[in-house]
Amino acid sequence: MKNYRKELHFKTSTRRAYLNITPQVESAIAESGIREGLVLVNAMNITASVFINDNESGLHRDFETWLEGLAPEKPYDRYHHNGYEDNADAHLKRTIMGREVVCAITNGRLDFGTWEQIFYGEFDGKRDKRVLVKIIGE
Ligand code: ZN
């Protein structure tokens, strides 16, 4: 069995952002040379998510509205976690949206449904963040 590891790096210009990282994951699969296996993609920071959904801008605005309803960024003093930091909302948003995805690789490609795409969800941006891509297979 072969294995391959790669880190993706992000520094968004906004506090929150949704980035389609499917092309970067496909590139990692191509670099790995693995034709049949699994790819794990996980956020390495606890205020960011990796998830699969539709690449549709209206839906991304809906995520933003929904998450702000559940865990509004402000007022900062509504959260016990905030004091030294102001990112309690980002921890909560990440928990809802998830840490990672695991995807099948078949014939060297992501074995996806028609509309599935992989997204990086940033909830406390403007600083360096990492995503791990780990591929195993043959
Ligand atoms: Zn924090």
Side-chain angles (χ1 to χ4, degrees):
M1 191 178 73
K2 290 195 282 191
N3 65 82
Y4 184 80
R5 182 187 190 280
K6 184 176 188 178
E7 288 184 14
L8 308 178
H9 295 257
F10 301 96
K11 187 174 185 179
T12 61
S13 61
T14 53
R15 180 174 171 111
R16 288 187 290 280
Y18 302 100
L19 308 177
N20 186 347
I21 61 170
T22 312
Q24 290 98 310
V25 176
E26 288 173 334
S27 294
I29 293 169
E31 292 159 16
S32 75
I34 290 169
R35 305 285 297 168
E36 300 292 330
L38 295 172
V39 55
L40 164 74
V41 187
N42 70 265
M44 298 179 85
N45 299 85
I46 54 178
T47 52
S49 290
V50 173
F51 61 95
I52 292 177
N53 220 300
D54 195 357
N55 189 24
E56 197 277 307
S57 60
L59 179 65
H60 300 169
R61 293 209 308 275
D62 291 335
F63 280 138
E64 171 68 14
T65 303
W66 179 61
L67 291 168
E68 273 296 286
L70 289 171
E73 177 187 339
K74 297 170 183 171
Y76 294 123
D77 65 5
R78 70 179 267 148
Y79 298 105
H80 299 293
H81 177 69
N82 289 343
Y84 179 72
E85 292 188 297
D86 65 1
N87 63 1
D89 70 301
H91 289 280
L92 298 174
K93 286 165 177 148
R94 176 265 169 82
T95 302
I96 294 275
M97 297 302 284
R99 171 183 180 263
E100 78 279 310
V101 299
V102 178
C103 309
I105 300 167
T106 302
N107 200 23
R109 303 200 59 193
L110 287 167
D111 200 339
F112 267 177
T114 307
W115 301 108
E116 288 185 297
Q117 295 281 289
I118 306 169
F119 291 90
Y120 173 72
E122 177 61 80
F123 306 116
D124 185 24
K126 303 180 186 179
R127 53 200 184 94
D128 295 322
K129 298 289 197 75
R130 293 184 295 159
V131 165
L132 176 66
V133 181
K134 181 80 179 190
I135 305 169
I136 58 173
E138 54 189 26

